[in-house]
Amino acid sequence: MKTVNIGLLGFGTVGAGVVDGLRRNGNLIAARLGVRPVIYRIADLDTTRDRGVPVEKGVLVSDAAGVIDDPNTQVVVELIGGTGAARACILSALKQGKPVVTANKALLAEHGAEIFGAANASGTDIYFGASVGGGIPIIRALREGLAGNRIERILGILNGTCNYILTRMEADGLPFEAALAEAQDKGYAEADPGLDIDGHDTAHKAAILASLAHGMIVPLDAVRVEGIRGLAKLDIRYAADLGYRIKLLAVVKRAGGALDVRVHPALVPLHHVLASVSGVFNAVMVRGDLAGDTLYYGRGAGREPTASTVIGDVVDIVRNLVSASPGRVPVVTTGPAEVVRDFSTRYYLRMTLSDRPRVLAQAADVLGRHGISIASAIQKEGPDDGFVPVVMLTHEADETACAAALREIDAMDVVGAPTVRLRIEG
Amino acid sequence: MKTVNIGLLGFGTVGAGVVDGLRRNGNLIAARLGVRPVIYRIADLDTTRDRGVPVEKGVLVSDAAGVIDDPNTQVVVELIGGTGAARACILSALKQGKPVVTANKALLAEHGAEIFGAANASGTDIYFGASVGGGIPIIRALREGLAGNRIERILGILNGTCNYILTRMEADGLPFEAALAEAQDKGYAEADPGLDIDGHDTAHKAAILASLAHGMIVPLDAVRVEGIRGLAKLDIRYAADLGYRIKLLAVVKRAGGALDVRVHPALVPLHHVLASVSGVFNAVMVRGDLAGDTLYYGRGAGREPTASTVIGDVVDIVRNLVSASPGRVPVVTTGPAEVVRDFSTRYYLRMTLSDRPRVLAQAADVLGRHGISIASAIQKEGPDDGFVPVVMLTHEADETACAAALREIDAMDVVGAPTVRLRIEG
C-alpha cells in the first residue's frame, strides 16, 4: 500500500496522541483511505523525553525547518503552539506547497489573514479542525456540511476549564476560587489560568468560527471579551431560581453587513440544550437559515479528542494528495469584518439597594429613561446591613443604553455595591 | 462564473426546498465555491402543480431518464423516494459516471451494497447526507471528521415523529394515541404512521450509520426493531420517577468482529445529553476510541433542514468536479456484517404481581436463576384489583436470558399481565 509521509512539529501531549492514534488505528485508516499515513519525522527541541509512545530511531529530531524542507515530507502537522516558531513553520511549509494541519487557535485568530492567504497563494491546504472544539468536528461542519446556509447565529461553550468551574459552582455550591483550584488540581486549568477564565481562549475560537461562517477575517481586538473570574455563587443561585444556568458563551450574530462577536458569561434557559452541557464538555450551536439550529457536542480538549480531529484533517489532506485536488476547500475571505460595538440582548441585573421605600422605583425609573423595560423583578432577602439584593430580568435592550443606565444607578447614594450585569442568550 | 448543471429528480417538498435554497443562497454558495450550481432540469410526473418556487420555462419535465441521460446534466439529485424508480434512476446515473446526491434512506438500507458498488465501479460519487438526521451533518462526521476513530458505539434519536410523541406523553401526560393524533394533526406523522412508530424508519437509518461506521453492509432484516406503539404513560411516569426519560433509540455497538444493531424504546438517564433532545429534534451520539463521545443535534426532517444537507452534498460534489477528484470519499465496505442476535444491557421491568406475601421473592428468584441481578425494585400503588405494579431495574444481563426469565415469570399464576420490559442505555 502506498504511504504518505507526515512531518510532525511539536511532540507534546497532542503530538504523542497523534502518533499513538495513527499507530493504533493505522490499519483501519489505511483501509478507509486506500493509502497509509505514516509519521516520517517528528521535530521537537526535546529529543530525549519518553512520551510513552514508540518512535523508531531517527524519526525524532530537533530541527523543525529540516523536517519541513525535507523533500520526503508530504504533510506538515504543526502542534508547537504559540505565534512565534509555529507561524514561521506554517508559512514556510505553505510556501513550499506542502499542506498543513494545525490546532493553533491563537495563531489563526491573530494571523489568520496571513496564513490563509499563504495557503491560497500556493493553492495548498490548511486544515485546522482541532483549533476549535477539540474532538468535535465543528470546523468541518461550518466549512462543508452547512455550506448551503447563511449562518445567522453561533452560540458556543468553547472552554472546558470555564465550563468545569461553572458546573462545580452550580452543582456543588463551590465558590469560584475553590472551583478554580480544583480545576487546577485536576489538570484542567493552567497554573496561570488567565487565558481560560478571562475569556481569551474562547475569544480566539469565536474569531475563528466567525471568520469561517462569514468569510471575513474577524480582528481579535474587535471581539468584546469578559471572562468568569470572580463570578459570584449568589448569581449562579439566583439564575437557577429563575430557570437559567450561567455559561461562558461565545456569541456570533449577523448585524446587517457587520458582525456581533463577543465572549461573556450568559444566562441560558435550563431547557435549552446548551444548558445541559456540563463539566469539561464543549458544544457549539449553529443557526443556519436552512438547517435551523444544529448542535455539536463533545470533548473540547485533551490528548485523544484533539488527536482525533488532527488525524481527521490528515485524512482529508491525504485524500486531496491522492486525488491531486489540493486547495479543494479554500478558506475564502473577502477581507476584515466590521464588528459592531453595540448590540441588543436581554439582561440579568442584580442591584444592591438600600432597604427603604421607593428605592426600587427610583432604579426602575432610571432604566425606563434609558429605554430598558423590566420583564420581572424579585427582591431577595439580604444580609442585615440595610441593603437588599434586587434581581431584574429585562426585555431586550441596547448594550450601551444598559451601561449608561447602570452608571447612573450605581452613582445613586441608595446603591450599596456596583450592580452585577449578565446577559441572557439562547 | 462557471456553472454546474443539476438534474433534480422529484419535485416534492424537499425538492422545492433545494430549488429555493439554491436560489436564496446562490450568491453566497457561488462565492464559497468559485462556481455556481444551477438547477438545469427538474423531473416530476406532476409538471403543473405550483410548488411556490419560481421555475423557468422548460426546466420542469416529466421524463426522469431524459434528464439523467442529457449530456448537459452533470449532477443528479434523487428525491423521488422509495425503492423502485429511484433505484433505477440512481443506478443509471452512476453507470454513466454522473455523481448522485440522494436522501433515500429506504433505498440505501435495502440496496446499499448495489448502489455503493455501482458508484465505486464507475469511480463516481454518491452522497447521501440527508438520508439520516435531516439537517444534521452526521453522515459527513462519520465518513470524514471521525475517520481516524474506531467507532465503539452509536446512540441515535432518529425519528422526529416518535420523539415528538414521547415528549408530549412525558411533558404533558398525553396517552400514546392522543399524542400520535396530535402529531398527525401537525403534519409530523403520516396517516399510516407505522413506518415511524413501529421503528422501521429508525432501523433504515441505523443500518446506514452502522454500515458507514464499520465498513460493512448491515442487512436490514438482521436489525432487531421494536417501536413505541402502545407504550404506556405509566412506564414513562415510572421512568421519570427513577430519573430516566424514554426515547426511541437506534443502538449500534461493536460485538467482537460482529455488530449489535437494534432499535427500541430505551430509558436514558435524565442527566444524559440525549435526554434533553425533545420534540421533533434528532440527535446522534457517537463514541470514537479517540474522540470519545461526540453528539450531533438538529432538525431531523423538514423541507429546509433536509435541503440544507442536500445542498451541502451538492457543494461537495461540485468541488470534486472542479478539482477532477471524483470518488474522493468512497464508501468502503468489506461485505455484509454479522449482526449478533444476543446482546447485553440493563433492563426496566414492570411486573403486575398478585398483592400477596412472597410473590415478589418468587419473581426475583426466577430472575436470579437466569443470572439476572436486580439493582433496585419499587412496589408502586396499583388499582384495587388484587395486583400491584412492581418496577425493577436490573444490572446488565443477556437479552435471551431476560426473555427466558420473563416467559417463566409471565406464566406464573400470581402474574396479572405480561411484564413490560424496556432496555436502559446511555
Side-chain angles (χ1 to χ4, degrees), chain B residues 238 242 348-351 376-378 380 389-393:
Chain B
Y238 289 169
L242 292 161
Y348 161 102
L349 305 175
R350 174 167 59 83
M351 301 176 186
S376 61
I378 308 172
K380 296 279 183 179
V390 173
V391 173
M392 295 182 187
L393 303 187

Side-chain angles (χ1 to χ4, degrees), chain B residues 154-218:
Chain B
I154 299 173
L155 298 178
I157 295 172
L158 296 170
N159 185 279
T161 307
C162 289
N163 207 49
Y164 179 83
I165 291 171
L166 292 173
T167 299
R168 290 289 285 148
M169 287 178 75
E170 190 197 351
D172 306 287
L174 293 190
F176 176 80
E177 291 73 18
L180 170 58
E182 192 186 275
Q184 287 171 320
D185 264 7
K186 289 190 180 257
Y188 298 150
E190 308 288 327
D192 174 4
L195 189 64
D196 291 322
I197 65 173
D198 293 328
H200 303 300
D201 173 80
T202 302
H204 287 146
K205 295 165 179 169
I208 294 172
L209 293 181
S211 299
L212 280 180
H214 298 284
M216 299 182 281
I217 297 289
V218 172

Side-chain angles (χ1 to χ4, degrees), chain B residues 265-338:
Chain B
L267 278 72
V268 177
L270 279 175
H271 59 78
H272 195 284
V273 197
L274 282 175
S276 71
V277 177
S278 61
V280 295
F281 279 86
N282 283 17
V284 187
M285 180 167 263
V286 181
R287 178 171 294 170
D289 64 340
L290 298 178
D293 280 324
T294 53
L295 177 121
Y296 309 83
Y297 163 97
R299 294 188 179 276
R303 181 181 123 128
E304 292 186 314
T306 310
S308 165
T309 302
V310 168
I311 294 173
D313 282 351
V314 167
V315 165
D316 239 327
I317 280 181
V318 171
R319 291 199 199 276
N320 290 354
L321 287 174
V322 167
S323 60
S325 55
R328 183 176 171 279
V329 187
V331 179
V332 179
T333 61
T334 56
E338 183 199 335

Side-chain angles (χ1 to χ4, degrees), chain A residues 17 20-22 24-25 28-29 31-33 127 135-137 140-151 212-214 271-273 276-278 281 285 289-299 304-309 311-313 315-317 319-320 323-326 328-330 332, chain B residues 17 20-22 24-25 28-29 31-33 127 135-137 140-151 212-214 271-273 276-278 281 285 289-299 304-309 311-313 315-317 319-320 323-326 328-330 332:
Chain A
D20 192 42
L22 281 175
R24 271 162 54 190
N25 293 344
L28 190 66
I29 294 167
R32 287 174 179 159
L33 201 46
Y127 278 77
I136 311 169
R140 181 178 306 266
L142 269 184
R143 290 179 86 180
E144 305 186 37
L146 299 173
N149 287 258
R150 188 175 298 278
I151 304 300
L212 280 180
H214 297 284
H271 59 77
H272 194 284
V273 196
S276 70
V277 177
S278 61
F281 279 86
M285 180 167 263
D289 64 341
L290 298 178
D293 280 324
T294 53
L295 177 121
Y296 310 84
Y297 163 97
R299 294 189 178 276
E304 292 186 315
T306 310
S308 165
T309 302
I311 295 173
D313 282 352
V315 165
D316 238 328
I317 281 181
R319 291 200 199 277
N320 290 353
S323 61
S325 55
R328 184 176 170 278
V329 187
V332 179
Chain B
D20 192 43
L22 281 174
R24 271 162 56 189
N25 292 344
L28 190 66
I29 294 166
R32 288 176 179 159
L33 201 45
Y127 278 76
I136 310 169
R140 180 178 306 266
L142 270 184
R143 291 180 85 179
E144 306 186 36
L146 300 173
N149 286 259
R150 189 174 297 279
I151 304 300
L212 280 180
H214 298 284
H271 59 78
H272 195 284
V273 197
S276 71
V277 177
S278 61
F281 279 86
M285 180 167 263
D289 64 340
L290 298 178
D293 280 324
T294 53
L295 177 121
Y296 309 83
Y297 163 97
R299 294 188 179 276
E304 292 186 314
T306 310
S308 165
T309 302
I311 294 173
D313 282 351
V315 165
D316 239 327
I317 280 181
R319 291 199 199 276
N320 290 354
S323 60
S325 55
R328 183 176 171 279
V329 187
V332 179

